[in-house]
Amino acid sequence: MTDRRGRGRPRDPETDAAILRAALELFIERGVEGTSMEQIAKRAGVGKLTVYRRWSTKEDLIAQAVEQTVSADLVPSPGDIEALDLHEIIEGVIEVAARMTATPAFRALTARMMGSAVSHPELMAVYWKHHILPRRDLATAMLRRAQRDGTVPPDADLDVLIDMMAGAVTWRVLQPDPPDAAGMLDFLKAVYRQVGLYRPSPEA
């Protein structure tokens, strides 16, 4: 990834943020092929040279925009998984996850990333490193905890279980009539229950 830094005035973080935001928006709206550095500059309200001084190609710029977007702090932390009740952890994060995965922005970003996997593998590499792998690591930690708790079989293939969960969510959000937040919450509970990570409350 190329990030050009001149020796002149310090870069304006607000300008950088505007360019990255514009790049992400255009990528989601139009894909890589439908996005140009000129369009990004216009959307960000800056000159084209301002963009080129920072990034040499649109692929570099879009990759950094995706990286910044998907590198958010993860919840729960590995320490929480070891110290807290697993069911309580999932109850605390599942509604947020449902609302996030039900948004048009999440659906659009997922679709664009899947569509770019072959034509622009560097974008998928960024997405995989900064979004997929950290969440797979957390899912592995939760499944191992569930194995110790006796809700997941000790001989279960955890990579297969994670692929099943991730594939189910991806398939569900990309269907023609995706669920709203309430529907996604019910779906996530069902997925987690099937793999042994979730048990309904007695009153549910």
Side-chain angles (χ1 to χ4, degrees):
M1 186 180 300
T2 303
D3 188 358
R4 294 183 173 179
R5 298 176 183 269
R7 295 184 178 180
R9 294 179 300 173
R11 284 172 40 167
D12 180 3
E14 292 186 1
T15 299
D16 287 0
I19 294 171
L20 289 166
R21 185 168 55 250
L24 185 68
E25 290 174 354
L26 286 165
F27 169 62
I28 289 175
E29 292 172 12
R30 306 175 185 180
V32 180
E33 290 79 4
T35 299
S36 68
M37 296 290 261
E38 291 80 2
Q39 293 167 343
I40 293 170
K42 183 177 180 180
R43 176 73 63 93
V46 301
K48 184 169 65 174
L49 288 179
T50 300
V51 179
Y52 275 109
R53 288 191 189 104
R54 290 161 166 80
W55 294 276
S56 59
T57 69
K58 67 178 180 180
E59 288 81 7
D60 289 344
L61 173 49
I62 292 171
Q64 187 169 341
V66 170
E67 175 182 337
Q68 180 171 294
T69 300
V70 301
S71 296
D73 292 337
L74 296 178
V75 178
S77 69
D80 288 341
I81 294 171
E82 291 300 318
L84 303 177
D85 178 79
L86 191 56
H87 179 71
E88 291 180 359
I89 290 174
I90 293 175
E91 284 282 10
V93 301
I94 195 169
E95 289 190 14
V96 174
R99 288 196 297 271
M100 186 268 291
T101 53
T103 61
F106 178 86
R107 183 174 187 245
L109 180 59
T110 299
R112 289 298 186 192
M113 292 310 308
M114 297 300 105
S116 300
V118 174
S119 60
H120 296 84
E122 69 280 3
L123 290 181
M124 178 54 77
V126 167
Y127 189 68
W128 189 266
K129 177 181 179 181
H130 294 280
H131 182 77
I132 302 297
L133 284 183
R135 286 155 179 81
R136 288 186 72 92
D137 289 343
L138 282 183
T140 299
M142 287 193 290
L143 287 167
R144 286 176 178 159
R145 169 68 186 277
Q147 284 179 320
R148 294 197 299 272
D149 292 346
T151 60
V152 170
D155 61 346
D157 187 320
L158 303 189
D159 281 333
V160 171
L161 289 182
I162 293 168
D163 285 346
M164 290 168 60
M165 291 190 293
V169 173
T170 300
W171 184 259
R172 186 57 59 105
V173 301
L174 293 181
Q175 67 184 25
D177 186 22
D180 59 12
M184 184 56 72
L185 178 60
D186 290 339
F187 180 71
L188 289 179
K189 288 180 178 179
V191 170
Y192 287 9
R193 186 167 58 249
Q194 290 298 316
V195 299
L197 285 178
Y198 182 81
R199 62 180 187 274
S201 301
E203 64 275 11

